[in-house]
Amino acid sequence: MGDVLGKQNEWDNAIVEYRKALVIHPQEPRILDKLAAAYGAIGNSSEAALCHFRALYRRSRHEEAIEYFQNQFEIEQLETYNDCLMLCDCFSQSGLTQPAIRCIERAAQLRPDDAFLKVAPHFVLPFFYQTADEIHVYRQRYFKGYHLLTQQVEQATTKGEEISITSIENFTNFWLTFQGYNDRAIHEQYGKLLQRVVAQRYAALTVPPPMLPVGENGKIRIGYIAEALGNNSESRWAVGWLKNHDRSQFEIYCYSIDSESDLRTEQFRFLSDAFHHLPNNLSAICQQILSDQLHVLVFLALGTRVKPATIASLRLAPIQCSAWGHPVTSGLPTIEYFYPAS
């Protein structure tokens, strides 16, 4: 519809339709390309440039996205929280730590009531370290951030005051793992804080569902979930698990949040009794998983991406497990078991 309206030079209406499409597929760069062209057609060069930057980011062309952004804007000109996170990721992926920190500082300016964002610059880490001393500097900075945050939350709780840390849902401790130290304590702090945020919104989903009896077929219902079930390091190895399940004892459910599909995704589909491409909507995801009445839910690579961690903060199955795609604790009190590779 947007294309039809554009051909008729009804660009304002075309933009409305493209934005509807972006709600349905927020990760699709081609929609952003069309939005950029439409904004350009009505003379809104600033919004056109932002859409082009976002399209480059969605295509993982991080260095190009940085160069394009810097030719058009300054970090201080960012006006949306999501754009701050995108540009921060571009800088981080390109090894530019200090500009990435500035992006999070800008995000904190845009959301001044979020206590997490005030300390979030402490959690921006380099991908590579030049010396062991540099690791120590960033590590101490990281721990200081969590100390300050935990202190603020505890003080607010003691006083019975409201405190917002909702932006914790957009962060993980993934890159801390590569420093090579024991991070259990910091992961546990993160897990408790994340669960606090999610529980405020979905209190009814914090209680473990009952362990239901097996169905008439006598099989245990086990589910596997990941950001993207497919040909990636987070999930492809789990195909072997599905292949070797005793199908006389287990009924397999698979859940992929990413709508993209490849040949490995189709393997997961073929090996499943039920396969679901879940919408990028937490309520809808929870509803689907709960309706399947699983006995066990296994999170693949928990800790690498933000959405699975948020889901795992809830109780969607009587037994919830983390698998070896990310070989450290998730820190979440809602996870009972860790499944090694063997």
Side-chain angles (χ1 to χ4, degrees), residues 146-158:
Y146 266 105
H147 174 73
L148 292 171
L149 181 62
T150 303
Q151 198 174 52
Q152 291 179 48
V153 171
E154 288 176 351
Q155 288 175 354
T157 302
T158 301

Side-chain angles (χ1 to χ4, degrees), residues 53-68:
F53 156 71
R54 294 163 188 158
L56 288 170
Y57 172 75
R58 293 302 180 197
R59 292 187 169 96
S60 297
R61 290 157 60 176
H62 300 116
E63 292 183 0
E64 282 185 65
I66 290 171
E67 183 179 4
Y68 183 82

Side-chain angles (χ1 to χ4, degrees), residues 22-33:
L22 200 61
V23 170
I24 299 169
H25 291 291
Q27 310 295 326
E28 179 50 66
R30 289 175 296 179
I31 302 172
L32 290 163
D33 290 336

Side-chain angles (χ1 to χ4, degrees), residues 34 57 85 137 169 176 204 218 256 266 285-286 340:
K34 292 176 183 292
Y57 172 75
L85 295 190
V137 169
E169 291 184 273
L176 188 68
S256 183
E266 294 309 307
I285 290 170
C286 295

Side-chain angles (χ1 to χ4, degrees), residues 115-116 119 123 142-158 163 165 168 185-194 196:
F116 179 83
V119 299
F123 307 141
Y142 206 97
F143 277 60
K144 181 181 178 181
Y146 266 105
H147 174 73
L148 292 171
L149 181 62
T150 303
Q151 198 174 52
Q152 291 179 48
V153 171
E154 288 176 351
Q155 288 175 354
T157 302
T158 301
I163 184 169
I165 56 170
I168 195 173
I186 207 77
H187 284 295
E188 287 180 341
Q189 281 184 280
Y190 164 82
K192 289 176 182 177
L193 291 168
L194 178 61
R196 173 193 176 105

Side-chain angles (χ1 to χ4, degrees), residues 134-287:
E134 188 180 17
I135 294 177
H136 179 74
V137 169
Y138 276 101
R139 188 169 183 81
Q140 292 306 308
R141 175 184 168 88
Y142 206 97
F143 277 60
K144 181 181 178 181
Y146 266 105
H147 174 73
L148 292 171
L149 181 62
T150 303
Q151 198 174 52
Q152 291 179 48
V153 171
E154 288 176 351
Q155 288 175 354
T157 302
T158 301
K159 296 177 181 178
E161 297 174 349
E162 292 291 326
I163 184 169
S164 173
I165 56 170
T166 54
S167 291
I168 195 173
E169 291 184 273
N170 300 117
F171 291 81
T172 71
N173 294 321
F174 178 69
W175 294 106
L176 188 68
T177 305
F178 293 89
Q179 293 180 349
Y181 291 91
N182 183 347
D183 298 323
R184 175 170 177 164
I186 207 77
H187 284 295
E188 287 180 341
Q189 281 184 280
Y190 164 82
K192 289 176 182 177
L193 291 168
L194 178 61
Q195 189 187 35
R196 173 193 176 105
V197 169
V198 178
Q200 287 175 343
R201 200 160 67 245
Y202 299 97
L205 297 179
T206 60
V207 179
M211 178 65 77
L212 298 175
V214 296
E216 293 182 0
N217 60 12
K219 297 180 181 181
I220 296 169
R221 295 182 292 277
I222 183 169
Y224 293 96
I225 183 170
E227 180 89 5
L229 289 176
N231 192 29
N232 56 68
S233 59
E234 296 173 22
S235 63
R236 59 173 168 248
W237 50 269
V239 166
W241 283 8
L242 270 64
K243 283 181 178 178
N244 290 289
H245 266 306
D246 183 345
R247 303 311 284 264
S248 68
Q249 296 188 50
F250 293 98
E251 193 169 83
I252 298 175
Y253 295 75
C254 281
Y255 309 93
S256 183
I257 303 169
D258 193 329
S259 61
E260 296 297 318
S261 181
D262 56 33
L263 290 176
R264 187 73 70 180
T265 309
E266 294 309 307
Q267 275 190 292
F268 277 104
R269 188 190 301 276
F270 176 75
L271 293 168
S272 303
D273 292 286
F275 183 98
H276 300 283
H277 269 304
L278 300 173
N280 194 20
N281 177 285
L282 191 59
S283 295
I285 290 170
C286 295
Q287 184 178 359

